[in-house]
C-alpha cells in the first residue's frame, strides 16, 4: 500500500561572500520517513533497496515495513508511519551509509542532524521461520568530509532493551556539529559477532548543491526562498558567521 510522503522540504539559497567574490549554494532540508515507497518485511537475504531518496544514496539500506503478526517480525517498531530503512550489519563487511556519491548527483555535502534507530538479532529459539528480537547494540556513526579517506566526525549511540522484550521502540540520536558538511556517513555496530539488523527512521539532514563558485569566503547569508509543509509558505533571511 502506497502512502503520501511525509517530508519537510526547505529550499534555501546560501551565499558565502567577500567584497570581491562569492560562493553560492542551494540547499534542501529533509525529514526522510520513506513513506512514499512500497516496503517488505526485513530479512537478511531479501530487501528492496532504498537507493537514492531525498537526494542522498542510502547505500546498503533496504526498505522495510515490520509485520508483528508474523513469526518473522523485526522486533523493532517504526518511529512514524509504516516504513523504515533496514540493513544487515556484518563484521568485516562494508557498513551501510548515507552518501552524496551516486550517478547524476549534484550534492557536494550534507549536514546530518538526527535520526531514530534500533537494532535486532535473530531469535535462536525459533528454527522454523526467522524472527528478530531487539538487540543490545552500540551504534558507531562515522562522518567523512569530501575527499577524506579517514573519518572527520564520530559519535556513539546506545540501544539497550530491558527485560527481554519481543518488540521495542526506537531511540533518537542527535548528532554534534562535526557532522556538518560531510559527504558520507557510515553506521557500524560495535563489537558485533553475529549479523545484526539496523533500522533507521525519520532521518533529518540538509543537502547542499553549489550553484556558483568564484572563490573567497566571508559570512554565510541564508536566504530561504521557499518552504512548504502541508501547503505552508514562509520566508526568512539570516546571517551566520562562517569559518573556512
Amino acid at each position: 500500500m502506497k502512502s503520501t510522503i511525509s517530508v519537510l522540504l526547505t529550499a534555501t539559497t546560501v551565499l558565502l561572500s567577500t567584497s570581491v567574490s562569492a560562493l553560492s549554494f542551494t540547499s534542501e532540508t529533509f525529514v526522510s520517513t520513506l513513506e512514499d515507497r512500497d516496503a517488505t518485511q526485513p530479512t537478511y537475504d531479501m530487501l528492496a533497496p532504498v537507493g537514492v531518496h531525498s537526494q542522498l544514496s542510502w547505500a546498503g539500506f533496504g526498505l522495510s515495513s515490520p509485520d508483528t503478526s508474523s513469526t518473522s517480525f523485526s522486533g523493532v517498531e517504526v518511529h512514524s508511519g509504516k516504513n523504515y530503512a533496514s540493513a544487515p550489519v556484518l563484521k568485516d563487511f562494508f557498513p551501510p551509509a548515507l552518501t552524496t556519491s551516486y550517478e547524476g548527483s549534484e550534492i557536494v555535502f550534507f549536514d546530518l542532524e538526527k535520526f531514530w534507530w534500533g537494532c535486532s538479532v535473530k531469535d535462536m529459539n525459533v528454527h522454523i521461520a526467522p524472527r528478530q528480537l531487539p538487540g543490545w547494540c552500540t551504534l558507531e556513526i562515522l562522518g567523512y568530509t569530501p575527499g577524506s579517506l579517514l573519518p572527520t566526525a564520530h559519535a556513539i549511540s546506545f540501544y539497550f532493551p530491558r527485560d527481554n522484550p519481543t518488540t521495542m521502540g526506537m531511540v533518537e540520536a542527535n548528532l554534534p556539529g562535526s557532522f556538518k558538511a560531510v559527504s558520507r556517513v557510515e553506521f557500524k555496530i560495535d563489537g558485533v559477532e553475529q549479523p545484526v539488523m539496523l533500522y533507521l527512521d525519520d532521518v533529518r539532514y540538509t543537502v547542499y548543491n553549489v550553484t556558483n563558485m568564484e572563490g573567497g569566503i566571508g559570512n554565510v547569508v541564508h536566504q530561504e526562498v521557499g518552504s512548504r509543509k502541508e501547503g505552508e509558505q514562509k520566508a526568512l533571511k539570516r546571517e551566520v558567521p562562517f569559518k573556512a
Side-chain angles (χ1 to χ4, degrees):
M1 177 179 178
K2 278 192 173 182
S3 303
T4 303
I5 187 170
S6 174
V7 166
L8 172 63
L9 175 62
T10 305
T12 309
T13 298
V14 183
L15 181 64
L16 288 71
S17 64
T18 64
S19 58
V20 294
S21 55
L23 176 64
S24 298
F25 296 86
T26 57
S27 71
E28 290 177 297
T29 297
F30 297 93
V31 179
S32 187
T33 65
L34 303 172
E35 292 303 307
D36 60 332
R37 302 281 186 87
D38 288 326
T40 58
Q41 293 181 43
T43 63
Y44 291 113
D45 56 354
M46 187 180 298
L47 288 173
V50 174
V52 176
H53 191 273
S54 301
Q55 299 199 35
L56 287 183
S57 172
W58 295 56
F61 283 101
L63 187 66
S64 298
S65 182
D67 180 4
T68 55
S69 66
S70 166
T71 55
S72 61
F73 68 84
S74 67
V76 176
E77 302 166 0
V78 295
H79 180 251
S80 69
K82 296 181 178 180
N83 296 341
Y84 50 28
S86 58
V89 181
L90 308 173
K91 186 178 181 180
D92 299 327
F93 280 75
F94 288 110
L98 297 176
T99 174
T100 61
S101 179
Y102 58 90
E103 184 176 358
S105 173
E106 296 181 348
I107 305 303
V108 289
F109 52 78
F110 64 100
D111 303 338
L112 182 58
E113 299 177 32
K114 60 183 179 180
F115 57 88
W116 289 79
W117 75 281
C119 69
S120 65
V121 295
K122 183 178 180 181
D123 183 359
M124 304 307 294
N125 295 319
V126 177
H127 303 288
I128 298 176
R131 185 175 75 166
Q132 298 292 118
L133 295 175
W136 288 60
C137 298
T138 299
L139 179 64
E140 186 177 20
I141 310 147
L142 302 174
Y144 297 78
T145 52
S148 175
L149 297 178
L150 297 176
T152 55
H154 180 265
I156 291 178
S157 184
F158 303 97
Y159 191 75
F160 289 161
R162 297 181 179 179
D163 301 324
N164 299 317
T166 55
T167 61
M168 180 176 165
M170 292 182 156
V171 295
E172 186 177 28
N174 288 281
L175 298 180
S178 56
F179 282 86
K180 293 183 180 294
V182 294
S183 59
R184 181 181 180 87
V185 174
E186 296 178 347
F187 302 89
K188 297 182 177 182
I189 302 296
D190 187 45
V192 60
E193 296 296 334
Q194 62 172 313
V196 173
M197 289 298 293
L198 170 68
Y199 308 94
L200 299 187
D201 200 4
D202 295 345
V203 183
R204 182 182 175 88
Y205 54 84
T206 299
V207 297
Y208 294 86
N209 175 23
V210 175
T211 58
N212 180 43
M213 185 180 297
E214 300 176 5
I217 295 178
N219 288 330
V220 185
V221 178
H222 294 258
Q223 174 66 56
E224 185 175 304
V225 295
S227 175
R228 64 178 173 87
K229 182 180 181 183
E230 300 178 352
E232 295 180 359
Q233 297 290 333
K234 56 185 178 179
L236 173 68
K237 184 174 181 179
R238 59 193 176 94
E239 185 169 304
V240 181
F242 180 83
K243 294 182 179 180

